[in-house]
Amino acid sequence: MNNEALYIQLMNNIKKKITDGEYQVGDKIMSERTMSKTYGINRLTVRNAIKNLQIEGYLNAIQGKGTFVNKIPVVQGKVELGSGDVSLSMSIRKGGMSHSRIVLSLKKIYAIGNLKNYFPDSPQVYELIRLSFINGIPYAIQECYFPCSYFKEAERYNFVEDALYDYMDTQGHHPQKLDYSLKIKDVPQKYTKLLEIQAGKKIFFFNYFAYDKDKKIVEYTLSYNKPEYTSFHFSTKKGLLHI
């Protein structure tokens, strides 16, 4: 996890404390030093988060006294990722929002490069690309890869209405564990129109692997999520940081 991702996590963590009432308007928040020790992150990252919250108007720093809550953030629905759920549609609905999606592509491709390393026993893999919507607004594009050696006749399955993991369950390889990483990246040019987002704007890029009960990789997914609708958990050395 890079420092850029961490400072955004910390910004949202502080905002949540304000919206939950842990911090009231006028309250003094933790010092940079205390926050750095509490979350196990460096002070530069903390300073960057606080500076940006000042720019947004949520915090006000008074020299010699500390940093104080200036206003309450507007609450909106969030998709909470990293909390145990592996279904994006379920995570969206838990956030109190409606979910829909379309299939952009479903085809067999040869496993080359990294895909060959991830699925060494499968010469071909399925490539499933879907666009998910929140309340009718484009939210995320997921590129999913799963091995043809484990999964049969995926073309006959309705991946618009039904979950990928339900299909995997019917094939005897339901994911039991998920490992993922997060980066903040520019939205890929090929997805700007589909996501209705300007080129060069930053998005949350999730890269994750799903493992079955035999600890075999059964899915490799690249997910491009709009940050304004996304919340997630990330474990630090000091505990769990929730944004």
mmCIF file of all heavy atoms in Angstrom, residues 11 15 29 32 46-63 66-68 70-71:
data_model
loop_
_atom_site.group_PDB
_atom_site.id
_atom_site.type_symbol
_atom_site.label_atom_id
_atom_site.label_comp_id
_atom_site.label_asym_id
_atom_site.label_seq_id
_atom_site.Cartn_x
_atom_site.Cartn_y
_atom_site.Cartn_z
ATOM 1 N N MET A 11 -7.806 10.355 5.574
ATOM 2 C CA MET A 11 -8.777 11.435 5.389
ATOM 3 C C MET A 11 -10.195 10.925 5.627
ATOM 4 O O MET A 11 -10.978 11.532 6.369
ATOM 5 C CB MET A 11 -8.659 12.013 3.975
ATOM 6 C CG MET A 11 -7.457 12.896 3.730
ATOM 7 S SD MET A 11 -7.372 13.428 1.989
ATOM 8 C CE MET A 11 -8.891 14.400 1.853
ATOM 9 N N LYS A 15 -13.030 11.755 8.525
ATOM 10 C CA LYS A 15 -14.378 12.171 8.146
ATOM 11 C C LYS A 15 -15.434 11.289 8.807
ATOM 12 O O LYS A 15 -16.476 11.774 9.265
ATOM 13 C CB LYS A 15 -14.540 12.117 6.629
ATOM 14 C CG LYS A 15 -13.835 13.213 5.857
ATOM 15 C CD LYS A 15 -14.098 13.042 4.359
ATOM 16 C CE LYS A 15 -13.369 14.066 3.527
ATOM 17 N NZ LYS A 15 -13.612 13.876 2.073
ATOM 18 N N ILE A 29 -8.793 17.374 17.297
ATOM 19 C CA ILE A 29 -8.464 16.006 16.904
ATOM 20 C C ILE A 29 -7.081 15.634 17.430
ATOM 21 O O ILE A 29 -6.356 16.470 17.965
ATOM 22 C CB ILE A 29 -8.532 15.816 15.369
ATOM 23 C CG1 ILE A 29 -7.387 16.580 14.688
ATOM 24 C CG2 ILE A 29 -9.892 16.245 14.825
ATOM 25 C CD1 ILE A 29 -7.221 16.242 13.213
ATOM 26 N N GLU A 32 -0.591 15.123 15.130
ATOM 27 C CA GLU A 32 0.071 14.346 14.091
ATOM 28 C C GLU A 32 0.886 13.214 14.701
ATOM 29 O O GLU A 32 0.875 12.086 14.208
ATOM 30 C CB GLU A 32 0.994 15.237 13.265
ATOM 31 C CG GLU A 32 0.286 16.218 12.366
ATOM 32 C CD GLU A 32 1.252 17.064 11.562
ATOM 33 O OE1 GLU A 32 2.472 16.782 11.575
ATOM 34 O OE2 GLU A 32 0.785 18.015 10.907
ATOM 35 N N VAL A 46 0.319 11.584 7.564
ATOM 36 C CA VAL A 46 -0.682 12.205 8.430
ATOM 37 C C VAL A 46 -0.839 13.683 8.087
ATOM 38 O O VAL A 46 -1.954 14.198 7.946
ATOM 39 C CB VAL A 46 -0.303 12.042 9.915
ATOM 40 C CG1 VAL A 46 -1.287 12.807 10.796
ATOM 41 C CG2 VAL A 46 -0.275 10.564 10.307
ATOM 42 N N ARG A 47 0.287 14.364 7.918
ATOM 43 C CA ARG A 47 0.268 15.801 7.614
ATOM 44 C C ARG A 47 -0.439 16.069 6.286
ATOM 45 O O ARG A 47 -1.191 17.029 6.147
ATOM 46 C CB ARG A 47 1.695 16.338 7.580
ATOM 47 C CG ARG A 47 1.791 17.866 7.478
ATOM 48 C CD ARG A 47 3.219 18.335 7.679
ATOM 49 N NE ARG A 47 3.690 17.980 9.001
ATOM 50 C CZ ARG A 47 4.859 17.386 9.227
ATOM 51 N NH1 ARG A 47 5.652 17.070 8.222
ATOM 52 N NH2 ARG A 47 5.235 17.107 10.467
ATOM 53 N N ASN A 48 -0.197 15.187 5.327
ATOM 54 C CA ASN A 48 -0.824 15.339 4.010
ATOM 55 C C ASN A 48 -2.332 15.188 4.105
ATOM 56 O O ASN A 48 -3.098 15.937 3.488
ATOM 57 C CB ASN A 48 -0.244 14.296 3.048
ATOM 58 C CG ASN A 48 -0.471 14.640 1.599
ATOM 59 O OD1 ASN A 48 -0.864 15.748 1.259
ATOM 60 N ND2 ASN A 48 -0.208 13.684 0.726
ATOM 61 N N ALA A 49 -2.785 14.210 4.902
ATOM 62 C CA ALA A 49 -4.221 13.991 5.082
ATOM 63 C C ALA A 49 -4.879 15.204 5.749
ATOM 64 O O ALA A 49 -5.928 15.686 5.304
ATOM 65 C CB ALA A 49 -4.460 12.738 5.915
ATOM 66 N N ILE A 50 -4.250 15.699 6.807
ATOM 67 C CA ILE A 50 -4.815 16.840 7.541
ATOM 68 C C ILE A 50 -4.836 18.090 6.666
ATOM 69 O O ILE A 50 -5.809 18.848 6.653
ATOM 70 C CB ILE A 50 -4.010 17.085 8.839
ATOM 71 C CG1 ILE A 50 -4.260 15.928 9.812
ATOM 72 C CG2 ILE A 50 -4.402 18.413 9.470
ATOM 73 C CD1 ILE A 50 -3.429 15.999 11.071
ATOM 74 N N LYS A 51 -3.771 18.295 5.908
ATOM 75 C CA LYS A 51 -3.708 19.456 5.012
ATOM 76 C C LYS A 51 -4.851 19.437 4.010
ATOM 77 O O LYS A 51 -5.503 20.460 3.763
ATOM 78 C CB LYS A 51 -2.359 19.470 4.280
ATOM 79 C CG LYS A 51 -2.206 20.625 3.296
ATOM 80 C CD LYS A 51 -0.871 20.553 2.575
ATOM 81 C CE LYS A 51 -0.743 21.662 1.540
ATOM 82 N NZ LYS A 51 0.550 21.580 0.794
ATOM 83 N N ASN A 52 -5.122 18.271 3.430
ATOM 84 C CA ASN A 52 -6.193 18.175 2.445
ATOM 85 C C ASN A 52 -7.571 18.342 3.076
ATOM 86 O O ASN A 52 -8.486 18.899 2.445
ATOM 87 C CB ASN A 52 -6.099 16.841 1.706
ATOM 88 C CG ASN A 52 -5.082 16.868 0.580
ATOM 89 O OD1 ASN A 52 -5.370 17.314 -0.523
ATOM 90 N ND2 ASN A 52 -3.878 16.403 0.862
ATOM 91 N N LEU A 53 -7.730 17.890 4.314
ATOM 92 C CA LEU A 53 -9.003 18.098 5.009
ATOM 93 C C LEU A 53 -9.205 19.578 5.352
ATOM 94 O O LEU A 53 -10.344 20.056 5.402
ATOM 95 C CB LEU A 53 -9.061 17.241 6.266
ATOM 96 C CG LEU A 53 -9.247 15.736 6.024
ATOM 97 C CD1 LEU A 53 -9.124 14.958 7.321
ATOM 98 C CD2 LEU A 53 -10.584 15.447 5.362
ATOM 99 N N GLN A 54 -8.117 20.296 5.573
ATOM 100 C CA GLN A 54 -8.202 21.742 5.775
ATOM 101 C C GLN A 54 -8.642 22.427 4.489
ATOM 102 O O GLN A 54 -9.488 23.330 4.506
ATOM 103 C CB GLN A 54 -6.851 22.300 6.231
ATOM 104 C CG GLN A 54 -6.458 21.936 7.650
ATOM 105 C CD GLN A 54 -5.081 22.476 8.009
ATOM 106 O OE1 GLN A 54 -4.135 21.732 8.210
ATOM 107 N NE2 GLN A 54 -4.976 23.788 8.043
ATOM 108 N N ILE A 55 -8.068 21.977 3.364
ATOM 109 C CA ILE A 55 -8.430 22.554 2.071
ATOM 110 C C ILE A 55 -9.904 22.323 1.777
ATOM 111 O O ILE A 55 -10.602 23.198 1.249
ATOM 112 C CB ILE A 55 -7.552 21.955 0.947
ATOM 113 C CG1 ILE A 55 -6.084 22.398 1.128
ATOM 114 C CG2 ILE A 55 -8.059 22.361 -0.434
ATOM 115 C CD1 ILE A 55 -5.111 21.721 0.188
ATOM 116 N N GLU A 56 -10.406 21.134 2.130
ATOM 117 C CA GLU A 56 -11.815 20.814 1.909
ATOM 118 C C GLU A 56 -12.745 21.490 2.914
ATOM 119 O O GLU A 56 -13.969 21.459 2.760
ATOM 120 C CB GLU A 56 -12.012 19.295 1.967
ATOM 121 C CG GLU A 56 -11.343 18.553 0.813
ATOM 122 C CD GLU A 56 -11.549 17.052 0.878
ATOM 123 O OE1 GLU A 56 -12.284 16.588 1.780
ATOM 124 O OE2 GLU A 56 -10.981 16.342 0.029
ATOM 125 N N GLY A 57 -12.155 22.090 3.956
ATOM 126 C CA GLY A 57 -12.939 22.851 4.913
ATOM 127 C C GLY A 57 -13.424 22.093 6.125
ATOM 128 O O GLY A 57 -14.141 22.647 6.964
ATOM 129 N N TYR A 58 -13.019 20.809 6.269
ATOM 130 C CA TYR A 58 -13.501 20.012 7.399
ATOM 131 C C TYR A 58 -12.701 20.265 8.675
ATOM 132 O O TYR A 58 -13.216 20.068 9.779
ATOM 133 C CB TYR A 58 -13.451 18.527 7.052
ATOM 134 C CG TYR A 58 -14.318 18.171 5.887
ATOM 135 C CD1 TYR A 58 -13.779 17.664 4.715
ATOM 136 C CD2 TYR A 58 -15.705 18.361 5.949
ATOM 137 C CE1 TYR A 58 -14.582 17.363 3.622
ATOM 138 C CE2 TYR A 58 -16.510 18.064 4.873
ATOM 139 C CZ TYR A 58 -15.949 17.561 3.712
ATOM 140 O OH TYR A 58 -16.747 17.279 2.640
ATOM 141 N N LEU A 59 -11.453 20.690 8.529
ATOM 142 C CA LEU A 59 -10.598 20.949 9.691
ATOM 143 C C LEU A 59 -10.053 22.371 9.629
ATOM 144 O O LEU A 59 -9.930 22.965 8.554
ATOM 145 C CB LEU A 59 -9.426 19.952 9.724
ATOM 146 C CG LEU A 59 -9.758 18.464 9.858
ATOM 147 C CD1 LEU A 59 -8.484 17.639 9.848
ATOM 148 C CD2 LEU A 59 -10.576 18.185 11.120
ATOM 149 N N ASN A 60 -9.705 22.868 10.804
ATOM 150 C CA ASN A 60 -9.120 24.207 10.915
ATOM 151 C C ASN A 60 -7.963 24.151 11.902
ATOM 152 O O ASN A 60 -8.142 23.753 13.061
ATOM 153 C CB ASN A 60 -10.179 25.211 11.400
ATOM 154 C CG ASN A 60 -9.615 26.615 11.507
ATOM 155 O OD1 ASN A 60 -8.803 27.028 10.690
ATOM 156 N ND2 ASN A 60 -10.054 27.342 12.526
ATOM 157 N N ALA A 61 -6.776 24.498 11.434
ATOM 158 C CA ALA A 61 -5.589 24.468 12.289
ATOM 159 C C ALA A 61 -5.354 25.843 12.898
ATOM 160 O O ALA A 61 -5.371 26.861 12.196
ATOM 161 C CB ALA A 61 -4.369 24.032 11.479
ATOM 162 N N ILE A 62 -5.148 25.864 14.216
ATOM 163 C CA ILE A 62 -4.852 27.104 14.931
ATOM 164 C C ILE A 62 -3.448 26.981 15.510
ATOM 165 O O ILE A 62 -3.180 26.080 16.314
ATOM 166 C CB ILE A 62 -5.867 27.363 16.064
ATOM 167 C CG1 ILE A 62 -7.283 27.455 15.477
ATOM 168 C CG2 ILE A 62 -5.508 28.637 16.821
ATOM 169 C CD1 ILE A 62 -8.361 27.627 16.528
ATOM 170 N N GLN A 63 -2.565 27.843 15.069
ATOM 171 C CA GLN A 63 -1.161 27.752 15.472
ATOM 172 C C GLN A 63 -1.019 27.803 16.990
ATOM 173 O O GLN A 63 -1.570 28.661 17.657
ATOM 174 C CB GLN A 63 -0.354 28.884 14.825
ATOM 175 C CG GLN A 63 1.146 28.737 15.015
ATOM 176 C CD GLN A 63 1.921 29.767 14.207
ATOM 177 O OE1 GLN A 63 1.341 30.635 13.572
ATOM 178 N NE2 GLN A 63 3.241 29.657 14.226
ATOM 179 N N GLY A 66 -3.605 23.560 18.001
ATOM 180 C CA GLY A 66 -3.932 22.265 17.425
ATOM 181 C C GLY A 66 -4.866 22.379 16.239
ATOM 182 O O GLY A 66 -5.062 23.462 15.686
ATOM 183 N N THR A 67 -5.458 21.240 15.864
ATOM 184 C CA THR A 67 -6.355 21.173 14.711
ATOM 185 C C THR A 67 -7.753 20.807 15.183
ATOM 186 O O THR A 67 -7.924 19.867 15.970
ATOM 187 C CB THR A 67 -5.856 20.126 13.690
ATOM 188 O OG1 THR A 67 -4.514 20.466 13.302
ATOM 189 C CG2 THR A 67 -6.729 20.107 12.453
ATOM 190 N N PHE A 68 -8.754 21.542 14.676
ATOM 191 C CA PHE A 68 -10.106 21.422 15.183
ATOM 192 C C PHE A 68 -11.091 21.118 14.042
ATOM 193 O O PHE A 68 -10.866 21.490 12.890
ATOM 194 C CB PHE A 68 -10.525 22.708 15.891
ATOM 195 C CG PHE A 68 -9.670 23.050 17.074
ATOM 196 C CD1 PHE A 68 -8.456 23.704 16.896
ATOM 197 C CD2 PHE A 68 -10.062 22.702 18.360
ATOM 198 C CE1 PHE A 68 -7.649 24.016 17.990
ATOM 199 C CE2 PHE A 68 -9.266 23.012 19.458
ATOM 200 C CZ PHE A 68 -8.054 23.661 19.272
ATOM 201 N N ASN A 70 -14.119 21.637 11.781
ATOM 202 C CA ASN A 70 -14.729 22.874 11.306
ATOM 203 C C ASN A 70 -16.156 22.675 10.808
ATOM 204 O O ASN A 70 -17.008 23.545 10.957
ATOM 205 C CB ASN A 70 -13.875 23.472 10.192
ATOM 206 C CG ASN A 70 -14.253 24.903 9.877
ATOM 207 O OD1 ASN A 70 -14.411 25.724 10.776
ATOM 208 N ND2 ASN A 70 -14.416 25.210 8.589
ATOM 209 N N LYS A 71 -16.425 21.498 10.192
ATOM 210 C CA LYS A 71 -17.781 21.216 9.699
ATOM 211 C C LYS A 71 -17.970 19.714 9.533
ATOM 212 O O LYS A 71 -17.001 18.947 9.538
ATOM 213 C CB LYS A 71 -18.054 21.941 8.381
ATOM 214 C CG LYS A 71 -17.265 21.425 7.198
ATOM 215 C CD LYS A 71 -17.676 22.157 5.914
ATOM 216 C CE LYS A 71 -16.922 21.615 4.703
ATOM 217 N NZ LYS A 71 -17.321 22.288 3.443
#
